[in-house]
Amino acid sequence: MERLIIERGKVIFPDHIAEDVSIICEGGKITDIVPSSAVAPSDSDKRIDASGMYVSPGFIDIHLHGGGGHDFMDGTVEAFLGAAELHARYGTTAMVPTTLTSTTEELMNIFSVYREAVKKNRRGAKFLGLHLEGPYFSYNQRGAQDPKYLRNPEPEEYMHILASSEDIVRWSLAPELPGALDLGRELVSRDILVAVAHSDAVYEEVELAFKEGFTHITHLYSGMSSVTRHNAFRYAGVVESAYLIDDMTVEIIADGVHLPRPLLQFAYKFKGADKIALCTDAMRGAGMPDGESVLGSLKEGQRVIIEDGVAKLPDRSAFAGSVATADRLIRTMVNIAKVPLMDAVKMMTLTPARIMKIDGQKGSLKSGKDADLVIFDENIRVVCTVSEGTVIYDTFRINL
């Protein structure tokens, strides 16, 4: 069987970076990681010289809506494949495609299209399953979610949704809504990640939700309550709950716009690399030039403007998703938040893998794990992406 050998790289492990190391891959798995001097290549090997570059686990994006001019809500196989290929160019080897608030009928179409896209996805980041973002959100914390689709969870509806797809791996909702905790318990019973999102909850409501299985916070600081006053008394909100509940994991859109440097540093200081996943929350404008765009489907979505490195509502009252790619998130954490490269990479690899319970297969470089790897330079610019042992993007020298 043909081997892929990535030679002489600076290999990023969860707890250290080792220089002049080679990674041997075969059958889609990592079979060995050894000093480069110990490698004995054969003529049939495919070899990549990573001298002077970093070799990282493949980036795992657990929350994104599209990229390259495509949105998953377009409801086409082409949109799924196009977005997956765009993000592979920037180091993402696995992703969780995310929906927006919509009708149940639209979701049914997405479920069908997703299954077809999985079969045809050869050149893009692998799909890990679907993330339903909404439609069970607080109106006050809706952000760019279309308010006409917001509603409370009703068993008849969500049980129908769950019966219609086995591909749902994550669902984000506001736990304070009537019926939300019942839905949360149902999702936990199906081993689906339940996350707090677009929520006006106070600490006591989040604490109760956590005990019922809401173990993750969707895009921390975006679309959620902080300290509020009711009848003169102050109440902690979702943001404070994320820090007070030690075992609560969070994700942050580390594009440097959604969260400025002090908040990136604050989150890192008090939650740490083991509890923070970086996510792009990218919409179709990722990898595209500035100008007008659409959040959601081309037919039913909302018009937005891409400027200043982010998507905004036309009146500029709120952000409308990011246009970031995974490499940009790591650059931001390293260059702006001054986080060590090793930890920044962990937040884009091992931590999201643990949150999604796939760390036995992905998220770190170890013999027996999937051969998902990224090679990038000193400026954290991706030059090669490998998914399960197959090169799906490269800009340089592969010795065939």
Side-chain angles (χ1 to χ4, degrees), residues 71-82:
D71 191 294
F72 301 124
M73 295 303 292
D74 290 344
T76 66
V77 171
E78 291 74 21
F80 274 84
L81 299 182

Side-chain angles (χ1 to χ4, degrees), residues 16 116 189 377-378:
H16 70 288
E116 288 301 311
S189 74
D377 64 18
E378 293 286 343

Side-chain angles (χ1 to χ4, degrees), residues 357-378:
K357 299 180 181 178
I358 58 168
D359 52 303
Q361 297 80 45
K362 299 180 184 292
S364 61
L365 301 179
K366 184 178 181 181
S367 294
K369 286 196 172 186
D370 291 345
D372 293 350
L373 307 105
V374 182
I375 304 173
F376 57 80
D377 64 18
E378 293 286 343

Side-chain angles (χ1 to χ4, degrees), residues 193-244:
L193 176 67
V194 194
V196 178
H198 293 277
S199 168
D200 236 354
V202 296
Y203 171 77
E204 290 75 13
E205 291 169 320
V206 179
E207 182 184 37
L208 177 59
F210 177 78
K211 292 176 181 178
E212 295 290 353
F214 288 68
T215 58
H216 186 66
I217 301 284
T218 296
H219 48 45
L220 183 65
Y221 289 101
S222 297
M224 63 188 60
S225 57
S226 184
V227 177
T228 55
R229 296 186 75 160
H230 303 280
N231 298 323
F233 292 95
R234 288 185 177 86
Y235 292 82
V238 176
V239 171
E240 292 74 29
S241 303
Y243 293 108
L244 286 170

Side-chain angles (χ1 to χ4, degrees), residues 4-119:
L4 171 67
I5 304 176
I6 299 175
E7 303 174 310
R8 294 185 283 273
K10 293 183 282 189
V11 176
I12 303 175
F13 296 101
D15 57 356
H16 70 288
I17 298 175
E19 298 202 18
D20 200 15
V21 170
S22 292
I23 301 175
I24 302 172
C25 309
E26 191 171 357
K29 301 289 184 180
I30 297 172
T31 57
D32 210 353
I33 302 176
V34 297
S36 294
S37 59
V39 176
S42 66
D43 292 340
S44 63
D45 292 334
K46 182 183 293 184
R47 298 162 60 191
I48 301 176
D49 183 2
S51 297
M53 300 189 191
Y54 291 99
V55 182
S56 160
F59 304 151
I60 301 173
D61 195 346
I62 63 175
H63 181 173
L64 75 166
H65 298 274
H70 306 282
D71 191 294
F72 301 124
M73 295 303 292
D74 290 344
T76 66
V77 171
E78 291 74 21
F80 274 84
L81 299 182
E85 291 177 18
L86 180 281
H87 286 282
R89 292 171 51 193
Y90 299 95
T92 298
T93 56
M95 61 166 60
V96 183
T98 301
T99 64
L100 291 165
T101 55
S102 65
T103 65
T104 301
E105 289 72 25
E106 278 188 279
L107 286 180
M108 296 301 115
N109 179 59
I110 295 296
F111 296 159
S112 176
V113 167
Y114 173 82
R115 287 189 288 272
E116 288 301 311
V118 169
K119 298 175 187 176

Side-chain angles (χ1 to χ4, degrees), residues 69 76 90 94 101 133 141 144 153 169 188 207 211 236 250 254 270 304 307 315 322 355 387:
T76 66
Y90 299 95
T101 55
E133 189 179 10
Q141 298 291 348
V169 295
V188 170
E207 182 184 37
K211 292 176 181 178
V250 305
F270 291 102
V304 300
E307 62 182 12
D315 65 0
S322 92
I355 291 170
S387 173

